[in-house]
Amino acid sequence: MQTTGRRERVRQATLTEIRAAARRILIEHGPAAVTINAVAREMGMSGPALYRYYASHEDLIAAMVADFYQELTEVLKGARDAHAADPPGQRLLAICRAMRAWATGHPAEFGRMFASPIPFDQRRPGSPRHQADGDFGHVFLDQFAELWETGPYPVPAPETLAPSLLTQLRAYCAAHDDRLPPEAAYVMLTCWTRVYGLLCMEILHQLDFAFSDVEPVFEDCLRELCASLGVDYRRR
């Protein structure tokens, strides 16, 4: 049993080292360079030997991206907890700013997480990426749920939402323990898509034609979101 435990620890350490090598290649050479053979060379092993640890290139990429989600999730939790004494709206601001800080500091990782198609098998419940993505999403959901519980923010009347949209929102809420009613979840998801969309445009340099410094644009976005949620906007 001790031998088995030691072997498993060695295996887990090697898996971690392989993902770290893949991350270095991603950062230095871009996503197309992250191949099994390239990672194997970085590790000083053969391609076939690496397949003993990851069955496919897709599995390796999924495990690496799950690491990114876990890292970002911990950063967001740290920003939230640093404002534990503040109202929920201020913690939400801290989370959004922390996400932008991580994204601008880790553009290659952010691009692989949020600006790449998600393969079908990585979307299935129980997959490493799906689990890590869910943990990440709960940081935002938890904050909006607390904001809703302490003082409901403005929401549209359910009957004003398209029937197909309302059906999807109800399914989403049911999958997340009905912590928000559908109309409140709609506002949360709308806020998320605005923050996410702006960050993607910044990280992918889609705003370079107009802005060399996107932080004021991001802060204006946060100010507008605060106004829509009835939250005091405070600069950092």
Side-chain angles (χ1 to χ4, degrees):
M1 291 178 63
Q2 290 179 345
T3 301
T4 301
R6 189 181 307 114
R7 286 176 180 169
E8 183 58 26
R9 288 195 298 273
V10 171
R11 178 177 176 80
Q12 290 302 319
T14 303
L15 289 169
T16 300
E17 190 177 350
I18 289 170
R19 297 195 302 273
R23 182 175 189 170
R24 287 194 298 273
I25 295 170
L26 172 70
I27 294 170
E28 294 171 8
H29 303 292
V34 187
T35 65
I36 288 291
N37 286 335
V39 175
R41 283 194 299 271
E42 184 81 6
M43 289 290 296
M45 63 171 63
S46 68
L50 195 144
Y51 280 115
R52 293 202 297 267
Y53 296 92
Y54 288 101
S56 67
H57 174 262
E58 291 74 18
D59 285 350
L60 170 56
I61 296 301
M64 179 183 68
V65 171
D67 281 350
F68 299 164
Y69 273 107
Q70 290 166 1
E71 180 180 315
L72 177 55
T73 298
E74 291 306 310
V75 168
L76 300 186
K77 287 180 178 178
R80 176 200 64 195
D81 295 345
H83 293 264
D86 291 336
Q90 301 311 309
R91 289 196 289 278
L92 182 60
L93 280 174
I95 289 169
C96 291
R97 288 168 176 149
M99 183 169 174
R100 179 177 180 272
W102 190 89
T104 55
H106 303 82
E109 294 93 325
F110 182 90
R112 198 64 186 80
M113 294 163 69
F114 295 109
S116 302
I118 304 175
F120 178 78
D121 65 326
Q122 295 178 31
R123 285 179 259 155
R124 70 180 187 276
S127 68
R129 174 167 179 160
H130 185 273
Q131 179 62 47
D133 190 4
D135 293 342
F136 162 78
H138 270 285
V139 178
F140 284 90
L141 175 59
D142 290 348
Q143 213 53 62
F144 268 87
E146 186 176 353
L147 189 62
W148 180 257
E149 290 165 2
T150 55
Y153 45 82
V155 296
E159 60 270 17
T160 66
L161 299 174
S164 63
L165 178 57
L166 194 55
T167 297
Q168 294 173 78
L169 289 168
R170 285 172 175 154
Y172 171 84
C173 292
H176 294 83
D177 301 321
D178 288 313
R179 300 187 62 197
L180 291 172
E183 60 273 23
Y186 173 75
V187 171
M188 180 196 73
L189 294 168
T190 300
C191 291
W192 161 243
T193 55
R194 285 198 61 187
V195 170
Y196 163 76
L198 181 53
L199 282 178
C200 280
M201 292 188 73
E202 177 180 9
I203 300 306
L204 296 178
H205 301 283
Q206 297 295 323
L207 295 173
D208 287 5
F209 72 94
F211 302 113
S212 59
D213 177 12
V214 183
E215 183 174 4
V217 182
F218 187 76
E219 287 297 322
D220 279 347
C221 176
L222 294 184
R223 184 183 293 107
E224 292 171 3
L225 293 181
C226 283
S228 70
L229 295 170
V231 169
D232 289 336
Y233 169 80
R234 300 178 192 171
R235 296 199 66 87
R236 65 175 81 226

